[in-house]
Amino acid sequence: MTILDGRKVSNDIKDEITEQVKKMKAKGEKVPHLAAVIVGNDGASLTYVGSKVRACERVGFESTMVRMSNTTSEIELLDQIEELNQNDDIDGFIIQLPLPPQINTQKVLMAVDPSKDVDGFHPENFGKMALDMSTFIPATPFGILELLDRYEVDTQGKHTVVIGRSHIVGRPMSILMGRKGFPGNSTVTLTHSHTKNITQITSQADIIISALGVPNFLKAEMVKDDVVIIDVGITRVPDESSTKGYIITGDVDFENVSKKASYITPVPGGVGPMTIAMLLKNTLLAREQRM
């Protein structure tokens, strides 16, 4: 069994980006600039945006964090987005989700200039991805592809089962794993909360990508020997024995499933670190396109 080490691979990618930024500076070119908009005081969102800002510092990017209050109106947020769209110094920006209830998330994501949409959430970019055109791939699916690529996990002709159909992970992964090329060329089954006999489906899978958000959902009896497991789930589970009062758990019963797997991502330290690395990669791509 091989651990798909997201921490190691993400550090490799950050090192590669750092070298590219050094070359840009040496040529007198402007370095990439990523902005993040956060509305409200959600603790997990603040932590996540903070880690993105630190990642920018590490690779030599410029970064801007735009903090807006929990009472921000939809109009105020849309005005802020338009300001970022028009700002030539900003190469890419993200809107940290979730947004407060008074704001229509879909309307906000539609307002982002597709050429600066480094999260890959705009329908124009999603459509291009579905049509196999060059575009920004959402950071988490992009990170999964990169892990499969760098560990040379064979995907051609394999049966890939995706658990979960979110627009952020499940649905794009189902499209990307079925595309021509590597990683891809697999036969994809997309499962979700209404899927019947899910064990029957997962037990036939060569590759399982789980993005359900249900701790320890995937058990050893639900998978076959030598399966490849990509665990996207990340849930805080209360645990009094932990100093934090909780532990981070994925969708997969790692202890038992890992005994049957050929490759598996740990939680934490698997897909999570890759997401930020690929956001940086998309920002670099945005800067290059703008040049």
Side-chain angles (χ1 to χ4, degrees):
M1 186 269 292
T2 301
I3 295 281
L4 297 171
D5 188 343
R7 283 201 179 102
K8 181 195 177 299
V9 175
S10 69
N11 282 327
D12 290 345
I13 291 165
K14 286 173 189 170
D15 289 344
E16 291 160 14
I17 293 172
T18 302
E19 287 307 309
Q20 285 176 275
V21 171
K22 282 178 184 172
K23 286 175 185 172
M24 292 170 106
K25 283 180 178 174
K27 291 177 187 172
E29 294 171 1
K30 177 189 167 307
V31 301
H33 188 162
L34 173 68
V37 180
I38 184 163
V39 184
N41 296 305
D42 179 72
S45 292
L46 286 166
T47 301
Y48 194 45
V49 171
S51 61
K52 288 171 181 173
V53 170
R54 288 192 299 277
C56 284
E57 286 171 6
R58 179 186 157 173
V59 299
F61 285 9
E62 290 180 26
S63 67
T64 299
M65 191 197 292
V66 180
R67 289 192 64 172
M68 304 182 79
S69 78
N70 208 43
T71 55
T72 298
S73 70
E74 192 176 278
I75 294 288
E76 287 171 325
L77 180 55
L78 290 171
D79 285 345
Q80 178 62 66
I81 289 169
E82 186 53 29
E83 205 176 294
L84 292 169
N85 283 340
Q86 299 300 328
N87 185 343
D88 281 340
D89 192 50
I90 304 284
D91 298 299
F93 66 95
I94 60 156
I95 312 298
Q96 184 63 37
L97 303 178
L99 293 168
Q102 72 272 19
I103 295 171
N104 181 324
T105 300
Q106 200 61 51
K107 197 172 179 181
V108 164
L109 296 179
M110 286 283 286
V112 177
D113 180 343
S115 72
K116 293 188 176 188
D117 169 40
V118 288
D119 256 339
F121 292 164
H122 193 283
E124 183 177 314
N125 289 326
F126 199 97
K128 283 182 174 178
M129 178 198 70
L131 293 168
D132 239 353
M133 297 165 71
S134 178
T135 189
F136 299 118
I137 297 173
T140 300
F142 197 6
I144 293 168
L145 293 179
E146 197 72 16
L147 272 178
L148 294 170
D149 185 11
R150 296 200 181 212
Y151 278 90
E152 298 180 351
V153 177
D154 187 15
T155 60
Q156 183 164 313
K158 303 296 183 183
H159 181 197
T160 296
V161 171
V162 179
I163 307 174
R165 55 181 167 181
S166 75
H167 295 170
I168 296 171
V169 183
R171 198 165 299 182
M173 278 318 304
S174 69
I175 294 167
L176 292 162
M177 291 301 287
R179 67 181 182 167
K180 288 182 180 178
F182 175 73
N185 278 330
S186 68
T187 301
V188 182
T189 302
L190 179 61
T191 67
H192 44 78
S193 57
H194 291 270
T195 302
K196 293 178 180 176
N197 304 323
I198 193 163
T199 297
Q200 195 179 336
I201 297 167
T202 56
S203 60
Q204 296 170 3
D206 302 305
I207 301 166
I208 298 174
I209 300 167
S210 187
L212 197 61
V214 178
N216 296 314
F217 171 80
L218 194 72
K219 308 289 187 190
E221 59 268 22
M222 296 171 71
V223 306
K224 68 179 185 180
D225 288 337
D226 294 329
V227 66
V228 175
I229 300 285
I230 306 291
D231 189 353
V232 188
I234 183 159
T235 308
R236 287 184 178 185
V237 177
D239 186 339
E240 290 177 8
S241 65
S242 166
T243 51
K244 293 179 180 175
Y246 65 86
I247 53 169
I248 299 292
T249 307
D251 285 356
V252 179
D253 175 6
F254 184 89
E255 188 180 342
N256 295 304
V257 173
S258 62
K259 292 169 186 169
K260 295 177 83 171
S262 55
Y263 294 90
I264 190 168
T265 59
V267 176
V271 175
M274 294 299 297
T275 299
I276 291 178
M278 303 323 281
L279 182 67
L280 296 175
K281 200 158 185 173
N282 273 344
T283 306
L284 180 64
L285 182 65
R287 170 89 288 262
E288 288 169 349
Q289 286 176 352
R290 289 170 69 75
M291 283 162 65

